[in-house]
Amino acid sequence: MTSMPTLADADAGTHTGRPPRRTRRSLSEISQNRLAALLLSPTFLALALVIGYPLISAIRQSLYSQGQEFDADGFVVSDEHFVGLSNYADVLSGDRGAAFWNAFANTTFFTITTVAIEVAIGLAMALVMHHALRGRAIVRAGILIPWAVPTAMSGLLWQWIFSSNGIANQLLGQQILWTADGWPAKLAIIIADTWKTAPFIGLLTLAGLQLIPQELYEAARVDGATALQQFRRITLPLVKPVLLVAVLFRVMDVLRMFDLPYILIGSQKQSVQTISILAFNEAGNLHYGQAAAYSTLLFLYVVAVAYAFVRLLGTDLIAETRTIRKDARA
Amino acid sequence: MNSHRKRDHGYGARRVLPAAAAVLALASALAACSNASPDPAAGGDDRGAITFATGKDTSGNLQKQVDTWNAAHPNEKVTIVELPASADDQLKQLQQNAQVKSDAYSVLGLDVVWTAQFAANRWIDEIPASTDTSGLLTSAIESAKYRGTLYAVPWQTNGGLLFYRTDLLTAAGITTAPATWAQMQDACAKVKALPQGKDVSCYAGQFDKYEGLVVNFAEAVQSAGGRVFDEQGNPTVDAPQAKAALTWLVSAFNDGTIPKAAITYKEEDGRKAFQDGTLVFLRQWPYVWDLANKTDGSSKVAGKFAVAALPGLNGPGSSTLGGLNLAVSSFGKNKATARDFITYLTGEEAQRANLLATSTAPTRTSLYADAALQKQFPYLPYLQKSLESAVARPKAVHYGDVSAAIQNAIAPVIAGDTDAATALTALQANLKQLTAQ
């Protein structure tokens, strides 16, 4: 060990105040890890209770069937029995399967359209909130109000706007039947959802904007950069990590979309049925096995999308955290 | 507030335990005399505080009635547990409570279409055979039965009526309400020829894709002489009457008898259109009577309309039965009190008060013949007629499946995407599978 000490050795040395020795360092690391695990155990316990247990219980329920048969007197046989994957086969074939793939397509469609529109509008909102000098507080509060309105309330509000002789039709001078099954219903959902959640993206992006040092813009101006160049070369790259987190949140939210289509359009309308609505309807009819199967499939879909998102777009994020950690150690 | 009340219950229960034991011994001795067969192990004859779970009562009248009961029965107090406003949420909450066998609810307010589910899952007790049900509407009693056994007592009922504009019909020279669909369309043609009838649409009901569509479709089928389900509970939507009914609905949408917008109408949308004076005829529940007669400016048709029985294909039509039945939860305590409370609420006195305060249709036939009530609610005789010929929806344990199947089959037909014959054939097969138990 006479060669130049590596960064890691120097690192360990400063911590122990002794000449670097590998075994000792790893031992102390092990005990440190143990302490960390001990200190974190209440958190793990809470997570296991509020996330792990319901998850496992739902997956278990999706493999069982209960109360679907009747005895000779018309009473429900309430015994629970293991049915393997038959609930999944049930929800993926026949009428239920058609409903599932339709809901899957709707969910995906709403996720892509609403998040894309919301990012564009949310970003614009953030820029306005960031730059508005006069009446800054009022602009910010105004933009945030839709987000503070409970979804169920905004569903009722938009139902009123989109009714056959509501405000939307009066403004357009036409009679579009928004809440009937069809494309207008999808459009109504996109409009109502954008109205409600673009401010959420706007708020998170605003936080990111405020972290960008003003000197960068000053330097850019000195270099003669146009406003568009400043936006593309400074604002967007620097706000991207925050924006990606906001988009990830939104994507996971829209994939579980339930109350807006349920209240605004109706639970039986195929053009806006989402997977959550299917699960809710099945549970309401006491088909708990099928409801759990739908929920589990939705869960897997959300996990897959989140994973893909982090892998494809979030690599920068993770790399950044690694550098920060390294910096902190040094 | 809530926890405080709960604590009171706990202490109270402990203190009255010896007394309750004595009462229990006495009660079980008495039970031996009656021919009722409640399970004593399940507290079938206990008395004491109970709860009544039902949807929100906006009139405040229910609380008044409960207060009257509580004053007369200080040891058997009733507390109202308010369930959510929407029927779906009410059902969900009642189901969840039943599933964990909670004793939080003693008396349940059940929509007519939920009774089968609660009975088949043994979530509610049978109503003892000794209970007097004479004087209650036969169709309402039918709705509270599962496989021939009574599981609930009808408390409120509901039947469809044809609301029509007397001013417009008189101006067009028509003196009687139409009894058939053809007569209704003729009347509309005459009204439309008038200058004041230019912008008025003919007819609407509840044709949005929800439970209302099931109700309106079933009524059309019945009014054409058919049934969605026969007496034995077998689906019969492939019969020619069902096809005639659906074909009429489609043609009514196509020729403008029913305005296009009515495909999005629920109860309230149709009521608003009628109150704005844009409809000649409207199929509605009786609650519209009071609201459309309001003279505070919210209704343009106050005093300008009357009601009649629903029209049909070749003669008078038939309504679908709505309403609320009261049942005793299998898991609640103090079931004897619960049964007495149901008798009290469904009694003539309480129902009269309820009708006066909330204009909810009563289940006691005597009230429909009451001259004083008829004066205040001129629609009562028509409503009684409607209820006498009303048909209950199928008593399916998974009623939601049946309802969804009907909605999925009928909505595309009236939207013009599928033809009636194909849809009904598919619906018949679907319903057969769903009701095969």
Side-chain angles (χ1 to χ4, degrees):
Chain A
M1 296 278 282
T2 47
S3 59
M4 285 278 287
T6 63
L7 186 67
D9 290 335
D11 184 25
T14 47
H15 275 295
T16 52
R18 284 186 197 143
R21 286 190 51 188
R22 253 180 206 287
T23 44
R24 193 170 282 263
R25 192 184 75 99
S26 53
L27 269 180
S28 83
E29 208 163 65
I30 287 167
S31 70
Q32 252 188 17
N33 284 346
R34 272 199 193 141
L35 182 66
L38 191 70
L39 290 173
L40 284 173
S41 59
T43 314
F44 286 134
L45 194 69
L47 284 178
L49 271 177
V50 300
I51 297 174
Y53 172 70
L55 191 65
I56 290 166
S57 151
I59 292 171
R60 182 191 171 278
Q61 191 154 39
S62 72
L63 303 174
Y64 281 78
S65 172
Q66 186 196 12
Q68 301 301 307
E69 283 122 44
F70 299 89
D71 64 16
D73 299 321
F75 289 110
V76 169
V77 182
S78 56
D79 299 340
E80 195 181 46
H81 56 273
F82 183 75
V83 293
L85 293 174
S86 92
N87 285 330
Y88 289 93
D90 214 22
V91 302
L92 290 173
S93 65
D95 280 353
R96 277 201 178 92
F100 173 78
W101 290 114
N102 172 59
F104 182 82
N106 282 342
T107 308
T108 312
F109 171 77
F110 284 136
T111 306
I112 294 169
T113 50
T114 57
V115 172
I117 297 170
E118 282 160 21
V119 166
I121 297 179
L123 197 58
M125 280 176 168
L127 290 172
V128 169
M129 284 192 279
H130 190 51
H131 288 292
L133 293 174
R134 254 180 250 158
R136 202 172 171 143
I138 292 174
V139 170
R140 283 186 192 178
I143 284 178
L144 276 177
I145 284 173
W147 189 61
V149 175
T151 314
M153 292 299 128
S154 73
L156 288 174
L157 194 85
W158 284 99
Q159 193 181 48
W160 185 55
I161 292 171
F162 284 130
S163 80
S164 59
N165 52 359
I167 300 164
N169 279 343
Q170 276 177 17
L171 285 179
L172 294 170
Q174 297 187 28
Q175 201 182 38
I176 299 169
L177 301 175
W178 297 95
T179 57
D181 224 353
W183 278 98
K186 284 191 211 278
L187 193 58
I189 293 296
I190 293 172
I191 293 171
D193 194 65
T194 304
W195 175 80
K196 185 174 160 50
T197 45
F200 170 77
I201 294 197
L203 184 72
L204 284 186
T205 315
L206 177 65
L209 283 181
Q210 284 170 339
L211 290 176
I212 303 175
Q214 276 305 311
E215 296 84 55
L216 287 177
Y217 291 103
E218 280 164 24
R221 270 199 297 275
V222 169
D223 289 347
T226 64
L228 188 69
Q229 279 172 326
Q230 286 178 33
F231 177 73
R232 283 189 52 202
R233 298 290 168 90
I234 299 174
T235 313
L236 262 191
L238 287 176
V239 89
K240 196 178 144 206
V242 178
L243 196 60
L244 283 180
V245 171
V247 169
L248 182 63
F249 272 42
R250 279 306 305 147
V251 165
M252 292 168 76
D253 234 17
V254 190
L255 286 173
R256 296 178 291 111
M257 185 190 265
F258 170 76
D259 28 13
L260 199 56
Y262 188 90
I263 291 167
L264 175 55
I265 309 295
S267 66
Q268 294 295 340
K269 306 217 172 121
Q270 268 97 3
S271 55
V272 296
Q273 256 180 354
T274 60
I275 304 175
S276 297
I277 290 183
L278 289 186
F280 182 88
N281 286 348
E282 292 290 356
N285 282 324
L286 305 180
H287 301 308
Y288 291 114
Q290 282 88 343
Y294 276 133
S295 306
T296 308
L297 289 172
L298 175 61
F299 168 74
L300 293 177
Y301 186 35
V302 173
V303 168
V305 170
Y307 182 75
F309 191 90
V310 170
R311 291 295 293 193
L312 293 177
L313 297 163
T315 36
D316 276 359
L317 265 181
I318 290 169
E320 217 162 274
T321 15
R322 280 203 195 112
T323 4
I324 290 168
R325 255 161 123 190
K326 221 172 229 172
D327 288 350
R329 265 199 197 159
Chain B
M1 180 72 193
N2 230 340
S3 65
H4 177 67
R5 206 184 292 148
K6 242 179 218 158
R7 213 163 42 230
D8 276 358
H9 275 216
Y11 284 132
R14 238 165 277 152
R15 220 176 294 148
V16 298
L17 209 58
V23 172
L24 187 65
L26 184 67
S28 43
L30 285 173
C33 307
S34 81
N35 55 0
S37 53
D39 183 10
D45 283 320
D46 288 355
R47 294 186 173 278
I50 59 164
T51 55
F52 174 28
T54 186
K56 189 177 170 65
D57 161 53
T58 43
S59 68
N61 184 60
L62 183 60
Q63 186 61 51
K64 234 183 267 170
Q65 292 192 308
V66 167
D67 288 344
T68 312
W69 163 275
N70 286 347
H73 303 83
N75 295 321
E76 300 174 61
K77 285 220 158 103
V78 176
T79 315
I80 300 175
V81 180
E82 211 167 76
L83 298 178
S86 97
D88 282 346
D89 295 341
Q90 286 174 24
L91 176 61
K92 195 131 281 183
Q93 198 158 325
L94 290 171
Q95 282 171 344
Q96 282 166 359
N97 231 275
Q99 233 131 28
V100 296
K101 301 188 185 343
S102 152
D103 63 358
Y105 305 155
S106 320
V107 176
L108 313 178
L110 299 179
D111 192 291
V112 282
V113 294
W114 304 340
T115 314
Q117 181 174 97
F118 280 71
N121 280 292
R122 299 182 208 263
W123 292 340
I124 49 177
D125 279 4
E126 282 178 29
I127 297 294
S130 58
T131 309
D132 180 22
T133 55
S134 64
L136 291 167
L137 281 165
T138 328
S139 53
I141 285 284
E142 262 325 294
S143 79
K145 285 182 178 169
Y146 179 66
R147 298 227 170 179
T149 310
L150 191 65
Y151 277 92
V153 183
W155 177 39
Q156 301 172 355
T157 186
N158 227 344
L161 292 171
L162 184 72
F163 284 70
Y164 66 98
R165 293 279 299 279
T166 44
D167 58 333
L168 293 177
L169 288 199
T170 313
I174 302 160
T175 47
T176 51
T180 66
W181 294 332
Q183 284 173 17
M184 185 168 79
Q185 281 166 304
D186 281 349
C188 283
K190 286 181 186 159
V191 167
K192 277 193 172 274
L194 299 170
Q196 66 264 47
K198 215 164 35 94
D199 298 325
V200 177
S201 295
C202 182
Y203 173 73
Q206 292 79 43
F207 297 110
D208 192 17
K209 196 181 180 191
Y210 77 120
E211 183 62 23
L213 180 63
V214 179
V215 169
N216 278 255
F217 167 69
E219 281 175 355
V221 174
Q222 290 153 213
S223 302
R227 284 277 186 282
V228 175
F229 288 87
D230 67 11
E231 301 282 320
Q232 285 75 45
N234 302 310
T236 50
V237 288
D238 57 352
Q241 293 94 332
K243 197 181 154 211
L246 190 54
T247 310
W248 180 77
L249 277 180
V250 172
S251 70
F253 267 103
N254 286 342
D255 65 19
T257 301
I258 304 175
K260 278 268 167 292
I263 211 166
T264 64
Y265 280 8
K266 294 185 183 177
E267 276 88 354
E268 286 293 88
D269 309 278
R271 175 174 76 81
K272 277 176 205 142
F274 188 72
Q275 287 184 182
D276 287 343
T278 61
L279 283 173
V280 188
F281 296 102
L282 174 67
R283 178 258 170 238
Q284 257 293 7
W285 306 102
Y287 83 99
V288 169
W289 180 271
D290 275 359
L291 296 169
N293 262 324
K294 279 223 159 85
T295 48
D296 58 2
S298 60
S299 172
K300 292 179 186 159
V301 297
K304 293 180 187 166
F305 67 91
V307 296
L310 296 174
L313 181 62
N314 300 312
S318 149
S319 167
T320 298
L321 194 75
L324 214 55
N325 298 330
L326 299 183
V328 178
S329 161
S330 300
F331 314 111
K333 290 194 190 100
N334 304 323
K335 290 181 181 176
T337 302
R339 285 194 296 271
D340 283 359
F341 180 67
I342 290 177
T343 308
Y344 160 76
L345 266 193
T346 55
E348 190 174 322
E349 220 32 61
Q351 291 214 19
R352 177 193 300 271
N354 202 36
L355 170 61
L356 285 170
T358 65
S359 52
T360 320
T363 52
R364 295 249 160 224
T365 44
S366 57
L367 295 174
Y368 289 89
D370 188 304
L373 289 173
Q374 278 188 4
K375 200 165 172 229
Q376 189 170 352
F377 304 102
Y379 61 83
L380 279 182
Y382 299 101
L383 182 58
Q384 185 180 16
K385 224 197 239 163
S386 166
L387 291 170
E388 276 167 357
S389 65
V391 179
R393 279 162 281 176
K395 288 170 217 160
V397 177
H398 298 292
Y399 176 75
D401 292 344
V402 173
S403 172
I406 297 177
Q407 292 176 42
N408 284 334
I410 304 306
V413 179
I414 59 171
D417 299 335
T418 322
D419 75 291
T422 320
L424 289 175
T425 312
L427 178 61
Q428 172 74 11
N430 213 341
L431 290 179
K432 223 174 201 159
Q433 196 193 341
L434 285 176
T435 50
Q437 290 175 3

